[in-house]
Amino acid sequence: MTTATDVHPAVRRTRVGPWLLAHLAHFRGWIAAHLLGSVLWHVLAAAVPTVIGAAFDALLQKHPDHQRFSTLVGVLLVLVLVRGLAGFGATYSLEAYACGLERDVRGTLFSVLLRKSQRFFDRHRVGDLSSRITGDAQALNLMFSPGVDLTLDMALGLVVPIVFIGVLDPRLLLAPLAFLVLFALTLVEYGRRLDPASGATRAAFGELSARVSETISGVETVDATGRRGAEQSRFMELARAYRDAAVRQAREQALYLPSLALAFALAGGLLHGAYLVAHGSLSTGAFVAFLGLMGALRAPTQMASFSIGLIYLGIAGARRIIEVIDDGAGDDEQSGGHVGRIDGDVVFDGVTFGYDGEPVLHDISFTAPAGATVAVVGPTGSGKSTLLHLLNRTYEPDSGRVTVAGVDLARWDTQSLRSQISVIEQDVVLFSKSVEENLTFGADGDVEHDRVVAAAKAAQAHDFIMATDDGYRTMVGERGTTLSGGQRQRIAIARALLADPRILVLDDSTSAVDSATEQQIQQAIRTAAAGRTTFMITPRLSRIRSADLVLVLDRGRIVGQGTHENLLATCELYHRIFAPHLEDGAAVRSAEGGR
């Protein structure tokens, strides 16, 4: 499992710029409207002090021109009104494409996550992935609104007033141009320092989110083991790490030099303008307009610190999102492959598989005939569940191959394959939906209520469902926490029956059910398994004896395969595991017969 900052070697280094441009291409109209509105707003904003300066000259000249002054006041009012409308249009357009980008990126990332293999999720924590699809996607929104918007305002707020100063009197450009050069140099250095600090902040937030998710998901274990204090301490460590990263970023933002450069430029411009006025080569109105335009440089200079900070946070978030999207080693979506009904044998041919280079299964070979029941037995840690995970491509073999109906799993269309395989595991996952919605999860199309009830009855779930206040409309807590283990397993079995699979996989699926209910469920499973290939992991001898094929695993290798009777005679491990149970059963029957 990786930390939030780890990148798998298979991740392609997609650059943030082209990736963002590809997503923004869908919002060209809104972006154009935003740019037009912003440019118009800044042009009009720069025109305001120019008009005010002209109005001053109209009044301060030897013979005041009141008519011209009144006209300029009217022009000023129109400029302010049009500027307000331009600002509204720019802001609305900005929010339209910034929120649209956040929505699209979230949708893309969620779709990508749904296509990822189990290997991918083994390497990433759920909380960190959640932070990418929520916090990092939101950082992209903030990157544009207000980040890019303020940066655009900053650029226009610098360029437009300087252009107007040049139009007013080219001699006055000395101070603002010198400031522009200093501003660019200090901004580049500012970005160089801020980039790693922003990345560290987003990574620390991912670590914090991952810890919260893991602790809340396992809160029962935390309470049962008395680990509240330890978890609280660990959380506070991560919270402090996030705070420290945020403070480091704030420190870099505080070390912002352009404001100091502007102060020198304003002082120099004031002295230069006053010198020109004193020597009669610049009018008072022009000097007032110049000071107003120089003052207009203050706001964009100050906002650069905040806006650039948001941009670098957005870039850091985009990198974390791209890491997930570009992790090709984690994809297991196989579209356009073989589509068909599973009607043939399941064959493992020399399959070897391991996690992160550590072999778990070694040279596994067997054939399960279509419609057969296969029991997989062996000591704890022998690889039983891992073997079953290869059936629906949860994992793929490192070597060898698995074929279903004569077709290599690697060539099957993933959707077609998995829609015909139902897996019922020990740890049943239910969703925060109604009982009926959980039952129909995985079934094709709408399912009639009568079919749902029939499946629940077959799985012995109907009675406890109807005992609740809302029956099949009862809401199930997250991961089924409002239900007992046996109830969750019965719902999972009913869900599998509704899916009508061609292959049924049972991983000790009745471990949390009492003996009487288990017998009823087994009868329902036997009925449902008719004509289907069934794989099961179970310690219960009664179920193993009824299997057509028994596979005995030990340390990831098949040490015996055949029927129950054959294995008792030929497989030492199998005999060692089950012979005592047979003797106990015979003793019980003998005692009962003597009564």
Side-chain angles (χ1 to χ4, degrees):
M1 186 174 293
T2 60
T3 66
T5 54
D6 291 336
V7 182
H8 192 267
V11 175
R12 300 181 295 274
R13 299 292 181 174
T14 298
R15 290 186 299 167
V16 172
W19 181 79
L20 280 175
L21 290 175
H23 278 278
L24 290 171
H26 304 293
F27 306 100
R28 286 187 290 265
W30 291 114
I31 294 173
H34 172 228
L35 292 175
L36 178 62
S38 295
V39 170
L40 184 59
W41 191 93
H42 281 281
V43 169
L44 295 176
V48 167
T50 304
V51 172
I52 291 176
F56 263 91
D57 282 342
L59 283 180
L60 296 177
Q61 61 187 351
K62 187 173 181 179
H63 300 288
D65 189 344
H66 295 285
Q67 179 62 37
R68 185 166 184 268
F69 177 79
S70 299
T71 301
L72 290 173
V73 170
V75 170
L76 184 62
L77 292 176
V78 172
L79 289 178
V80 172
L81 177 61
V82 175
R83 185 182 67 173
L85 293 175
F88 170 79
T91 302
Y92 185 85
S93 302
L94 169 69
E95 292 299 327
Y97 76 78
C99 293
L101 173 67
E102 180 182 358
R103 175 204 61 204
D104 287 359
V105 168
R106 277 190 174 141
T108 298
L109 184 54
F110 189 71
S111 176
V112 166
L113 287 174
L114 291 179
R115 296 197 302 269
K116 294 297 184 184
S117 69
Q118 190 60 45
R119 282 186 183 272
F120 173 85
F121 290 103
D122 289 344
R123 292 190 284 105
H124 294 81
R125 285 165 294 179
V126 173
D128 180 52
L129 294 175
S130 297
S131 75
R132 298 185 193 224
I133 206 170
T134 54
D136 290 330
Q138 184 182 40
L140 285 178
N141 186 334
L142 297 175
M143 174 183 181
F144 286 92
S145 176
V148 168
D149 182 50
L150 291 177
T151 303
L152 179 61
D153 285 345
M154 174 197 73
L156 293 173
L158 292 174
V159 173
V160 173
I162 291 176
V163 169
F164 271 75
I165 289 173
V167 171
L168 187 66
D169 192 325
R171 293 174 300 174
L172 297 173
L173 286 173
L174 180 61
L177 288 180
F179 161 71
L180 205 58
V181 173
L182 289 175
F183 179 79
L185 293 175
T186 53
L187 207 59
V188 169
E189 173 61 19
Y190 177 68
R192 187 190 66 78
R193 291 184 286 105
L194 194 59
D195 188 15
S198 300
T201 300
R202 292 308 313 162
F205 182 78
E207 293 278 358
L208 185 65
S209 299
R211 194 67 183 188
V212 170
S213 177
E214 290 175 0
T215 302
I216 292 177
S217 297
V219 68
E220 292 183 14
T221 303
V222 172
D223 289 342
T225 56
R227 295 285 297 174
R228 286 185 180 181
E231 288 301 311
Q232 177 69 23
S233 298
R234 177 58 179 155
F235 175 80
M236 291 308 299
E237 288 178 11
L238 293 174
R240 282 191 290 271
Y242 175 61
R243 177 207 61 189
D244 293 343
V247 169
R248 283 193 296 271
Q249 182 188 358
R251 182 185 63 196
E252 298 299 340
Q253 288 181 268
L255 296 174
Y256 182 67
L257 298 178
S259 296
L260 181 62
L262 178 63
F264 284 112
L266 287 174
L270 177 64
L271 292 175
H272 185 210
Y275 174 82
L276 294 177
V277 171
H279 287 75
S281 58
L282 185 69
S283 68
T284 303
F287 183 53
V288 171
F290 170 66
L291 292 179
L293 290 169
M294 285 295 292
L297 300 178
R298 185 185 303 277
T301 301
Q302 292 175 340
M303 75 172 63
S305 172
F306 177 66
S307 63
I308 297 299
L310 289 176
I311 288 176
Y312 275 102
L313 275 177
I315 291 173
R319 286 174 181 154
R320 284 166 46 82
I321 291 171
I322 292 172
E323 284 176 8
V324 174
I325 294 175
D326 274 4
D327 191 346
D331 292 339
D332 78 339
E333 185 74 15
Q334 176 72 23
S335 58
H338 176 75
V339 175
R341 179 180 171 85
I342 296 178
D343 271 327
D345 300 347
V346 175
V347 178
F348 277 61
D349 183 12
V351 171
T352 296
F353 171 78
Y355 302 102
D356 297 327
E358 292 294 329
V360 175
L361 299 175
H362 306 267
D363 195 25
I364 301 295
S365 296
F366 67 89
T367 298
T373 297
V374 180
V376 185
V377 301
T380 300
S382 58
K384 301 185 295 295
S385 295
T386 299
L387 186 148
L388 297 187
H389 283 151
L390 298 176
L391 281 171
N392 64 350
R393 289 188 62 201
T394 299
Y395 296 102
E396 295 187 5
D398 296 330
S399 63
R401 65 176 190 152
V402 181
T403 63
V404 174
V407 180
D408 193 323
L409 286 189
R411 291 176 48 218
W412 270 89
D413 178 90
T414 306
Q415 178 62 29
S416 176
L417 174 72
R418 291 177 178 170
S419 66
Q420 300 181 73
I421 301 176
S422 285
V423 181
I424 306 174
E425 299 187 271
Q426 297 178 33
D427 185 16
V428 177
V429 176
L430 300 179
F431 299 92
S432 298
K433 300 180 179 182
S434 69
V435 169
E436 184 157 356
E437 287 175 309
N438 272 285
L439 288 170
T440 57
F441 190 85
D444 290 333
D446 295 330
V447 181
E448 295 180 356
H449 181 68
D450 291 343
R451 281 190 60 205
V452 175
V453 173
K457 287 180 177 179
Q460 302 299 310
H462 178 73
D463 291 341
F464 81 75
I465 293 173
M466 295 307 298
T468 61
D469 293 336
D470 297 320
Y472 284 83
R473 294 182 179 179
T474 299
M475 297 302 296
V476 177
E478 187 174 1
R479 298 186 64 85
T481 55
T482 58
L483 302 176
S484 69
Q487 290 172 337
R488 290 199 298 269
Q489 288 187 330
R490 280 178 273 177
I491 285 180
I493 292 171
R495 183 165 63 190
L497 298 178
L498 279 172
D500 192 23
R502 300 302 305 154
I503 296 179
L504 193 60
V505 180
L506 308 168
D507 189 350
D508 202 11
S509 57
T510 58
S511 60
V513 179
D514 59 79
S515 298
T517 303
E518 183 195 359
Q519 292 179 0
Q520 296 173 322
I521 292 176
Q522 289 310 314
Q523 180 57 47
I525 289 177
R526 281 193 290 270
T527 301
R532 298 182 173 90
T533 306
T534 304
F535 289 82
M536 60 182 179
I537 297 175
T538 178
R540 302 188 187 274
L541 183 59
S542 60
R543 296 168 60 193
I544 296 171
R545 296 175 73 165
S546 64
D548 300 301
L549 174 66
V550 180
L551 302 176
V552 186
L553 290 183
D554 185 28
R555 298 179 183 179
R557 300 181 186 275
I558 293 181
V559 296
Q561 56 179 299
T563 63
H564 167 71
E565 289 75 13
N566 290 338
L567 289 171
L568 277 177
T570 61
C571 181
E572 179 184 351
L573 176 62
Y574 189 82
H575 185 276
R576 189 166 65 245
I577 293 174
F578 291 108
H581 296 282
L582 292 171
E583 294 170 0
D584 291 343
V588 169
R589 287 192 297 273
S590 176
E592 290 175 345
R595 287 176 185 165

